Amino acid sequence: MSKKAIVSLLVLSMVAVACATDTAEEEVAVEEEHDHSDESTLEMVLERGFVKCGVSGSATAFSETGADGSITGFDADYCYAVAAALFGDYSKVEFKSLTSAERFTSLAAGDIDVLIRNTTWTQSRDTELGNDFGPTTYFDGQQLMGRNSDGISSSSTLADIDGLSVCTNAGTTTEKNITEGAGLVGATITLVTVEKFSEAMDKFIAGECDIVTTDGSALVGRRAVNDALNDWSIFPTSPISKEPLGPVYRSNDSAWGDVINWVVYATIIADEYGVTSANVDSVDTDAFPELGRLFGANDGELQTIMGLDAKAFYNVIKQVGNYDEIYSRNLNPVGLFREGGANDRWTNGGLIYAPPAR
Amino acid sequence: MIKDTKFFIENPYGRWVRDNLFSSSSSAFLTFFAGFMVIYSYRGIVGFILNPERMWTSVTYNMKLYMILAYPDEAMIRVWLSVGLALILGGLSIGFYNSGKTISLGGIFQKLFTISAVIALLIALAPTNTNVIQNDGSIEVVEIISRDIRMLILGPSLVLTLAFFFLRNIKIKNLFNTAKVNLTYFGLIIGSLYFIKIPTISLDSSGERIIPDPFLPIASTTYIPWTILYVAMLLFFFIGSLLKNRDIKIMARLIPISWFLCPLFIFSWIFKKPLVELNTVFSADIPSILVFGIIGFLIIRFSDNESIGVYRTPINIGFLVLSIIVFLLPLVFIFKATMVLLLLLLVVSPAIATTKEGKRQLFIVWIVSLFVLTFLIRGASSDTMLVTPTGSIFGGFSLTWLLAIFGTYASFPLGLALALGRTSTLPVIRIICTGIIEIVRSVPYITWLFFASVMLTVFLPTGVEFNLIIRVLILTAFFSGAYFAEYIRGGLQSIPKGQYEAANAIGMNPFQRIFLVIVPQALRTIIPTLVGSVITSFKDSSLVAIIGLFDILRIGTSVIPAQSQPVVFIGRNLEQLVFLSFFFWVFTFVFSRRSMKFEKRLGLGER
């Protein structure tokens, strides 16, 4: 071949490949048009054979990506629970890791079926953004953490942080809450804003700020990990904000919403009766008619009306577990316990409560 | 500055020190100041790395996550095939392009002397203590390098330094081929995977972490594939040497083309595992090759036909209109892509198909390109058969690599076209190209990324949804394309006017003039700039972390510091940042060193 031919071959293939790589995958990427108005998400998901679940992928104990790329955590387990209810197989989930900025657009665009990404239930998100919120699975709230050596104790209040510097992540409601809260009690604080909570913690440890603030669950987790139970205190006892976290789905889709809600309720009811994945097979359904109805032991009519298998919630408990199991498995290792907190059973004075299954 | 004592005049080392470090009082000050800064930062970095607070197992334990994110375990052989293909090609090229450069035993000892001297210096300068901040805010001083350890490393390295110092003057006639020496070094690194042991996080059968971490070889799970790949590389090195000795000319062309096609083949077929149905191959691909093969044959056959010459412009415009129509019609994608290739053939054929031999070769090139293009597009446009929990098979380093390679591949021809358009004499083309270049270049890359992730969906018609990765690829192609265009324009303008006139004088048509005379010379002068630009786009690819793609940076800064199971890595973000800086540095350093050698071979700046 002559030099000319080589040059032309290179140019030819370069341009061809450029065109190919630029646009070749368009064809694949053009997704089928989602017609939300006609078809319920439930029918769509059942037809597809797996559920697309939006999670964070980098939220400790809620949805974290393991070393092998698998996704685990409290939120992830609820995704598995939904799949277990729909398909009788918890593994029929495709996770989509979303940043907090893109989670609602992703849900609205139909990229995901349900968003279980430690999302706080607020009025504007519920009404303006076209979402509906499921039952709260975890009650969180913003708290502050400081060093005992600086005179902070767990009985400290916001007034005690007067004159101290506070680290928090920028542009979030966390920042707004602390400035509003400090303003109310007349405390002057120096705000040090960083992009991520882990950076705020790095600054706190290095002594660049006296106080660090974010959701209580994260603070408790970090205190346990750093083995600083005796050195750092979390205050005030009742959080400065309410952060109820739960599943989110698109508005006006009650068939799908009911499925999500009742998956959560089923785990809570099972917990009330002490039914776990270990003893769900030996449960006496005649003695507890509510469990009989829930697990489809008698006729399972309530589930079949919802468009699910009669054994749907039995599968949830069998394959994923009840609320307490999901909680303990994921949150106990980072130092978060139910006892005496807002996430305890309602019979123990907590807020975890489900309507009756009948 | 330094007194002219005997040592500083007669001894070559003393002389060097005097001339280079202390030639005047200001340079002596600079030497001390810079030396202090370097040593201070070095001690700081070592103190940071060896601080007992650091947990480096968080990096090693997540190595697979860093490289391929959630790529399924059962398809791991595909990852190794991808790496293997590159290594085999590397071995073949080293063998085939072996320049026969040799190094003497003394030269090897000289290098070893430098290495052991540097090690001795580094360990001598390393800090003894470092500060650990306690939970209550107090600072504790902790010993990180004890006297015993320092002596244990310093002693042998000093002995070796001395030994190599005398050995380097050894007069042995034995000369070693540098390529073989380098391969041996690589082999030593592979061999060390077996012997050097580090603490490794291991889980027992019930998923509990074994404490303390047992010492296992580096890459305790991957040394077998690495060894196999190394052996394959060696094998292909010898095949390459054999081919060179046999003087097989075709390889000189095949190897660059293979390097060019290798990443495309890896990403579209090996890494992706496409689901290809024979049905579509027979109904779309083969007819497409046949039809376009015949059209191409006709174009080549009659390109220098004099009776057609007058109608050339109408024919070209006709084909352009036809291809626009083809693009708008709902046809199989292969037709559309091949149509672009056909337009290109139409443009280049008058320049090349001037003789019978030229025509024959162009036709072969045309058929081969058709097959390759169809093959790659079929792989790239088919669904993948792999199932991952996250729904995307690209993540971590594989995503970084994908963005860097495809960004470069797509942006180079685009940049060339934009540059030629900008220097064109046709006002419409010139204004459009200048507009694209200036608009793209005047907006920061991050802004464009947000545009791709958020705004592009608003502009596109409903129902048309690109995968985010593809949106970013298109955007990167335009962004680096605009920069390439400006570099290439600089190259074009450096070509003396005489070259244009000479090309005109010997009766070349515009395409021949541009593609045979101007562009090859222009590209040669801007290779350093282009390499710099490629390195930049490699590093810039980590910016996609902010729009939610799981590239290697996002994994390091968000994912790993959030892990609590099976081992708690919460808040371990500093370790990841150090590792990532080192990782990027290794790649860009190797790349720029290679390009320097390449420049030297081309004789840039010398001729």
Side-chain angles (χ1 to χ4, degrees), chain A residues 1-2 6 8-9 17 21 24-26 28-29 31 58 60 64-66 95 97 149 202 205 226 231-232 329, chain B residues 65 133 135-136 253 264 333 352 361 365 380-381 383 389-390 406 465-466 550 558 562-565 570 573:
Chain A
M1 281 197 282
S2 66
I6 298 300
S8 62
L9 173 68
V17 162
T21 52
E25 285 167 61
E26 268 176 50
V28 207
E31 287 175 10
S58 44
T60 300
E64 49 184 70
T65 313
F95 288 103
S97 298
S149 53
D202 289 338
I205 293 171
N226 286 50
D231 296 310
W232 298 345
R329 180 163 62 220
Chain B
L65 192 72
I133 301 169
N135 284 334
D136 58 4
R253 284 159 202 157
L264 300 172
F333 183 77
I352 295 163
Q361 284 172 353
V365 170
S381 66
D383 282 330
T390 48
F406 280 71
E465 275 172 26
F466 291 90
F550 277 82
S558 306
Q563 288 176 343
S564 71
Q565 283 171 345
I570 298 172
N573 50 340

Side-chain angles (χ1 to χ4, degrees), chain B residues 327-344:
Chain B
F327 250 91
L328 295 177
L329 287 176
L331 282 174
V332 191
F333 183 77
I334 299 230
F335 277 106
K336 300 182 186 180
T338 322
M339 200 64 207
V340 177
L341 197 69
L342 190 75
L343 274 183
L344 204 81

